[in-house]
Amino acid sequence: MDVRPLRPDEVPTFVDDLWLPFATEMGNLDEHDALAGDEYVRVNALAYRQAQLADKDVQTFVAEADGSQTGYTTVSYSESPPVFARGATAKVTELYVEPDARGSGLGTALLERAHEWGERRGCEHAALSVHARNETAQACYEAAGYETRYLKMDRQL
């Protein structure tokens, strides 16, 4: 297994094989994250991912096994406001492992790569959000040393 940065030429395959299944799974878990029902979802996802590749404060890593991508994580650099004593944070914004590869340590390997990226950028902490009903992901994050500090709440307006 190889965990490495996503390359620009891989974005279409990445969107089709990893991001769309991830987004669909998250939408099935919580309707708040359901994808728009139009033909522009893929087009917009491609443009969004290409823009992320140009952003020095965002990195997407893909895990590859036997020539195909089996998981990914996206991490971003977030500077702390100067009024706080804490330093910058590496925010893990997405983590996905194909269902057949879950439980193999791939999620942990992706998290470790995101943490290494954050450490090289001078981040003091790593943070992420997880769906309250996604117990599998929560267990993975807790095993990697994450603990609940905040609860996010929202409501329909």
Side-chain angles (χ1 to χ4, degrees):
M1 172 187 52
D2 182 34
V3 177
R4 59 172 177 70
L6 176 67
R7 296 186 304 257
D9 64 306
E10 297 175 311
V11 169
T13 301
F14 167 80
V15 166
D16 292 339
D17 294 350
L18 293 176
W19 183 81
L20 282 169
F22 164 75
T24 300
E25 187 174 320
M26 293 301 101
N28 290 338
L29 190 63
D30 186 331
E31 69 182 41
H32 177 77
D33 290 322
L35 293 173
D38 61 36
E39 69 274 12
Y40 298 109
V41 169
R42 184 176 184 276
V43 171
N44 290 332
L46 291 169
Y48 175 70
R49 290 299 169 172
Q50 290 290 357
Q52 278 190 324
L53 286 176
D55 186 339
K56 68 176 181 56
D57 289 333
V58 178
Q59 182 67 64
T60 296
F61 294 100
V62 292
E64 191 173 68
D66 300 323
S68 66
Q69 297 173 357
T70 55
Y72 81 97
T73 189
T74 300
V75 59
S76 66
Y77 176 86
S78 179
E79 192 71 41
S80 177
V83 297
F84 295 110
R86 66 179 178 258
T89 300
K91 291 188 177 180
V92 178
T93 58
E94 297 174 348
L95 176 72
Y96 176 75
V97 174
E98 288 183 333
D100 290 346
R102 292 178 187 168
S104 68
L106 183 58
T108 300
L110 287 161
L111 279 175
E112 288 173 359
R113 190 66 188 266
H115 298 160
E116 291 167 3
W117 181 87
E119 288 172 0
R120 284 194 310 274
R121 299 288 311 267
C123 294
E124 292 182 11
H125 306 278
L128 53 78
S129 295
V130 59
H131 279 285
R133 289 176 272 187
N134 194 342
E135 294 173 2
T136 302
Q138 289 174 36
C140 174
Y141 301 143
E142 288 170 356
Y146 284 83
E147 54 188 47
T148 303
R149 182 178 307 250
Y150 299 101
L151 295 175
K152 178 185 174 189
M153 300 173 74
D154 58 36
R155 61 164 277 187
Q156 187 74 32
L157 296 178

